[in-house]
Amino acid sequence: MRRERAVRPTELRPLTENGHLEFEKPLLRIQHDIAALEVEQRQGGRDMSDEIKQQHARMVAKTKRLYSHLTAWETVLVARHPGRPQIRDHIDNFVQDFCELHGDRAFGDDRALITGFGRVGGHKVMIVGHNKGRDTRERIECNFGCAHPEGYRKALLKMKLAEKYKVPVVCMIDTQGAFPGIGSEERGISQAIAVNMFEMSRLRTPIVCVVIGEGGSGGALGIGVGDRIALFENSFYSVISAEGCAAILWKTHEQRQRAAEALRFTAKDLRKLDIIDDVIPEPLGGAHRAPGLASQALEQYLVDTLRDLKRPRVDTLLKRRYERFRNMGSFYDAPSEFGKSKARKPASSRAPLRRPLPASRHVASPDPA
Amino acid sequence: MMVQKRDIPAGIWDSCQECGHMVYQKEVEENLHCCPECGHHRRINARARIEQLVDPDSFEELYADLSPTDPLKFKDRIPYRERIKAVQRKTGERDAVVVGRAFIRGRAVILGAMNSDFIMASMGAVVGEKITRAIERAIEEDHPLVLVTASGGARMQEGMISLMQMAKTSAALAKLDEAGGLYIVVATDPTTAGVAASFASLGDVIVAEPGAMMGFAGPRVIANTIKQDLPDGFQTAEFMLKHGFVDRIVKRHDLRREIARIIDYSGK
């Protein structure tokens, strides 16, 4: 993980009465203290700058402490924070000359998934990503970032365009999941996601995938196959939502905090499990406190990564991309009881290939059907 | 369905889940586990499936030694390790898919069949790896690949590792496609979620058994999200055929013949 630059407390968006998370309450109290001191300074004419400075230091220390020990469930709350920068914010903050391209040329234009050309620090790129929406009107219009099949098909179409012009693809993942609805099933959401993974695994241009907020299951993976997979520090990427998991395994939503811990879906866990390559640091107090700084960190990551990915030949890139997914998963490969033998990685444990069956078997097998 | 077959003395009567008719257990079995009255296709395990599908004694199992680990040390009401041990004892299988070489009407194939008795045939690392190895074997030997799918989706007890099996199997199928291989999917009840949204939807030809449930999201999740009743026949093989995601609906009795026919047309 790259080191984050020190953030001055004055750069942080203030917490609001309605907009703070439960565990941010202590921070809100310090913020109130600072405000009171400032009022006193203004009205009483006394110099309170030392006290204010002290409180600021307290704020920084407390925020650091809180954010270095977030529980998995708290991470979910931060990742879903309505003030967290979304794809549109990142585009506004650092993508130059964004040229949105709409539509899947077959059914419609899914607003939950946006695509278009843009420039990131001198690199031409194709941006593909979920859009959750920043206000109520936008959220409804883009279905809260839950895409339908046409969204995934649009994404693939634009990625193929990028491949044709040898432009790298940047995927920004931020979704609860693909939309579970009638139209979604009728138009083949399973097939759309499957085909995207199938084609992305062999797309002849670099692909960088970053989970900027929520990485929700198949809906995330539908634009999630690439050469580098990164997560923002306080985002998560999971096979199922904590609520869904709790409902199935514990038969109650109440256990979502336990489910969240059990699923090991935070950036730190996924790095340890070797599912993702990189963790992008967030500003002090989470991306929602300083969206501009979060965008800067993302831009820096993309610029560096694109430079690295443009170096190897495309064939080499594709070989590595394939190997990376091919080697995911741990299992025992020996005739023994569960848990008795040593787990091995697939590459080293490939069984020696047996000779093909003799051709005579073709005719020797009678056919009763 | 929850009752173990061996617990019931042979020849007992049983009512069909679909039409409610009392049917003779033995007769159902002889009828490839389809109801003799209404033709309802019952779920069958991987071994029974393979036995029905392949030429007698032609199945040679591959990668049988693969068994699951517990990468997350996952524990819900019971630890994943315990869950696995219990279901391994109950089914006699190491995980939820059986793959191997076989002949179907004399045509050599690489075959895989999923076992819905094993944690709803959910896909963890072992299922992903065995499917991927089967795909690689089909490329190496230039034989058609036939996968009989049935699954509740990704195995959440293996977390993101199981989700990534979707990408892994799909990427391997892209290799098979490039090698010009033939891949036939036989979708059976239920083919859903993570498996539906990966290898089960990527067949060159997709056939489905009548009445099989097929879909991405669970029907209850959909009903809760949209606050509407779901239409009759939603997320069935027939629904998928109507909407263009299944090539043919094939009765269990005709599967061998149909698979052989498709292999012949492909020239494999």
Side-chain angles (χ1 to χ4, degrees):
Chain A
M1 202 202 296
R2 269 166 258 252
R3 253 351 296 155
E4 61 198 281
R5 123 174 132 73
V7 181
R8 287 178 295 277
T10 44
E11 286 178 298
L12 298 182
R13 261 191 202 169
L15 295 165
T16 59
E17 287 304 327
N18 308 323
H20 68 277
L21 301 168
E22 191 57 35
F23 69 86
E24 287 176 322
K25 274 221 156 63
L27 302 179
L28 190 65
R29 277 199 291 275
I30 302 176
Q31 193 179 293
H32 284 323
D33 292 347
I34 294 173
L37 286 170
E38 280 169 352
V39 169
E40 209 179 319
Q41 177 167 271
R42 238 188 348 262
Q43 292 174 347
R46 277 172 57 203
D47 180 17
M48 309 289 284
S49 54
D50 278 354
E51 284 86 345
I52 292 174
K53 226 169 161 182
Q54 214 175 2
Q55 289 300 326
H56 273 311
R58 221 181 111 213
M59 172 78 111
V60 170
K62 185 79 188 164
T63 312
K64 261 192 196 148
R65 208 159 50 237
L66 269 179
Y67 271 81
S68 58
H69 294 99
L70 289 187
T71 65
W73 179 249
E74 285 164 352
T75 306
V76 171
L77 298 177
V78 175
R80 289 177 182 166
H81 196 287
R84 191 175 176 83
Q86 301 179 358
I87 184 167
R88 288 273 184 210
D89 300 295
H90 291 308
I91 289 173
D92 292 348
N93 289 344
F94 69 79
V95 177
Q96 295 108 47
D97 193 26
F98 182 61
C99 170
E100 185 168 357
L101 300 172
H102 296 265
D104 72 339
R105 307 270 174 93
F107 182 81
D109 182 40
D110 192 339
R111 307 302 303 137
L113 220 159
I114 54 184
T115 52
F117 285 121
R119 284 190 166 79
V120 176
H123 298 281
K124 282 193 267 182
V125 293
M126 173 63 78
I127 307 231
V128 173
H130 302 100
N131 184 28
K132 283 183 163 179
R134 292 176 289 197
D135 54 43
T136 309
R137 192 190 53 81
E138 206 182 272
R139 281 186 197 120
I140 291 168
E141 188 185 294
C142 62
N143 203 23
F144 300 85
C146 296
H148 281 77
E150 49 274 21
Y152 292 96
R153 294 193 180 113
K154 167 168 82 169
L156 182 58
L157 203 67
K158 309 313 175 194
M159 288 192 273
K160 291 225 167 172
L161 197 63
E163 176 185 45
K164 188 169 159 188
Y165 300 124
K166 302 187 170 57
V167 170
V169 175
V170 171
C171 296
M172 296 192 200
I173 296 167
D174 191 10
T175 183
Q176 289 172 51
F179 188 66
I182 295 176
S184 210
E185 300 284 334
E186 283 177 344
R187 301 194 288 280
I189 187 66
S190 301
Q191 188 259 6
I193 289 172
V195 168
N196 275 23
M197 293 186 295
F198 180 88
E199 293 295 349
M200 288 177 88
S201 74
R202 63 181 183 188
L203 199 80
R204 299 183 64 79
T205 192
I207 306 176
V208 188
C209 304
V210 182
V211 180
I212 58 171
E214 276 188 272
S217 190
L221 195 55
I223 57 165
V225 174
D227 303 297
R228 290 282 188 284
I229 321 286
L231 254 75
F232 257 124
E233 193 179 343
N234 299 316
S235 57
F236 68 96
Y237 194 0
S238 182
V239 62
I240 185 170
S241 71
E243 294 91 335
C245 179
I248 296 171
L249 291 182
W250 280 272
K251 318 277 180 207
T252 160
H253 281 285
E254 306 306 309
Q255 298 290 341
R256 58 193 181 186
Q257 307 197 4
R258 276 169 79 182
E261 292 295 336
L263 285 164
R264 308 260 318 264
F265 55 43
T266 64
K268 216 189 272 172
D269 283 332
L270 295 178
R271 182 68 209 88
K272 244 183 259 164
L273 290 166
D274 229 4
I275 300 282
I276 62 167
D277 303 287
D278 300 294
V279 180
I280 304 172
E282 289 188 24
L284 181 70
H288 60 286
R289 298 295 302 281
L293 293 177
S295 285
Q296 269 178 28
L298 177 57
E299 180 186 15
Q300 189 60 51
Y301 176 75
L302 290 176
V303 169
D304 294 349
T305 308
L306 289 169
R307 194 188 50 230
D308 290 350
L309 293 179
K310 279 181 171 177
R311 247 179 236 139
R313 293 180 42 227
V314 177
D315 288 324
T316 312
L317 200 69
L318 290 189
K319 198 166 159 270
R320 285 185 198 152
R321 188 187 303 166
Y322 181 77
E323 287 301 320
R324 160 205 180 84
F325 286 96
R326 175 66 190 84
N327 291 330
M328 275 193 192
S330 75
F331 42 82
Y332 299 108
D333 190 2
S336 66
E337 284 300 295
F338 180 73
K340 290 275 172 60
S341 68
K342 206 173 158 316
R344 290 179 210 175
K345 280 279 179 186
S348 58
S349 62
R350 200 75 54 81
L353 300 174
R354 292 176 219 175
R355 274 179 297 117
L357 292 175
S360 61
R361 292 284 293 271
H362 274 273
V363 282
S365 46
D367 187 10
Chain B
M1 288 306 293
M2 297 308 291
V3 183
Q4 287 274 293
K5 212 167 67 183
R6 62 171 174 275
D7 298 338
I8 307 167
I12 204 167
W13 291 86
D14 184 3
S15 78
C16 172
Q17 303 150 284
E18 196 64 25
C19 65
H21 266 96
M22 292 306 284
V23 287
Y24 204 40
Q25 184 87 29
K26 199 159 169 244
E27 204 184 334
V28 175
E29 269 168 43
E30 279 166 5
N31 198 25
L32 305 181
H33 298 268
C34 298
C35 171
E37 295 293 329
C38 70
H40 170 64
H41 286 48
R42 297 188 174 188
R43 289 180 186 175
I44 50 173
N45 68 32
R47 301 286 166 187
R49 171 68 66 179
I50 289 166
E51 200 188 311
Q52 289 185 3
L53 219 46
V54 306
D55 300 343
D57 301 324
S58 76
F59 185 71
E60 180 198 348
E61 187 169 355
L62 294 168
Y63 319 122
D65 291 339
L66 265 58
S67 62
T69 64
D70 180 15
L72 308 189
K73 311 265 176 291
F74 194 97
K75 184 171 180 294
D76 49 273
R77 287 167 306 156
I78 47 168
Y80 179 47
R81 297 172 71 89
E82 300 298 321
R83 206 181 270 271
I84 286 285
K85 269 189 205 155
V87 72
Q88 282 181 336
R89 262 196 303 273
K90 191 186 108 193
T91 60
E93 302 286 351
R94 286 174 187 274
D95 209 309
V97 69
V98 178
V99 303
R101 276 203 196 90
F103 288 86
I104 296 177
R105 288 192 147 202
R107 289 137 186 103
V109 297
I110 303 296
L111 176 70
M114 301 182 82
N115 216 338
S116 57
D117 293 347
F118 199 102
I119 322 186
M120 217 39 246
S122 54
M123 170 159 66
V126 172
V127 171
E129 179 69 17
K130 284 173 95 168
I131 296 282
T132 303
R133 289 192 189 182
I135 297 165
E136 289 169 342
R137 184 57 73 101
I139 297 170
E140 272 160 37
E141 298 183 2
D142 195 24
H143 285 155
L145 172 69
V146 179
L147 296 181
V148 184
T149 62
S151 177
R155 187 173 294 168
M156 58 189 136
Q157 291 91 343
E158 291 184 26
M160 278 299 286
I161 291 166
S162 62
L163 193 76
M164 288 301 166
Q165 304 307 310
M166 294 168 64
K168 170 166 149 180
T169 51
S170 302
L173 285 168
K175 296 262 179 218
L176 178 65
D177 179 57
E178 267 152 37
L182 167 66
Y183 169 36
I184 300 171
V185 171
V186 180
T188 69
D189 190 54
T191 295
T192 59
V195 166
S198 60
F199 60 87
S201 288
L202 293 170
D204 295 303
V205 178
I206 302 177
V207 303
E209 284 194 338
M213 185 200 171
M214 296 176 74
F216 179 66
R220 253 183 314 162
V221 175
I222 297 176
N224 282 338
T225 306
I226 61 173
K227 319 271 182 232
Q228 275 177 45
D229 289 334
L230 301 174
D232 282 345
F234 183 60
Q235 292 186 318
T236 57
E238 292 74 12
F239 172 90
M240 296 299 275
L241 182 84
K242 184 180 155 212
H243 291 285
F245 296 99
V246 158
D247 289 286
R248 294 174 70 76
I249 292 186
V250 177
K251 288 191 182 131
R252 200 168 280 170
H253 288 83
D254 301 329
L255 276 174
R256 281 170 54 78
R257 197 177 63 218
E258 288 282 317
I259 291 168
R261 191 149 85 126
I262 293 159
I263 291 173
D264 291 349
Y265 271 115
S266 79
K268 287 286 163 190

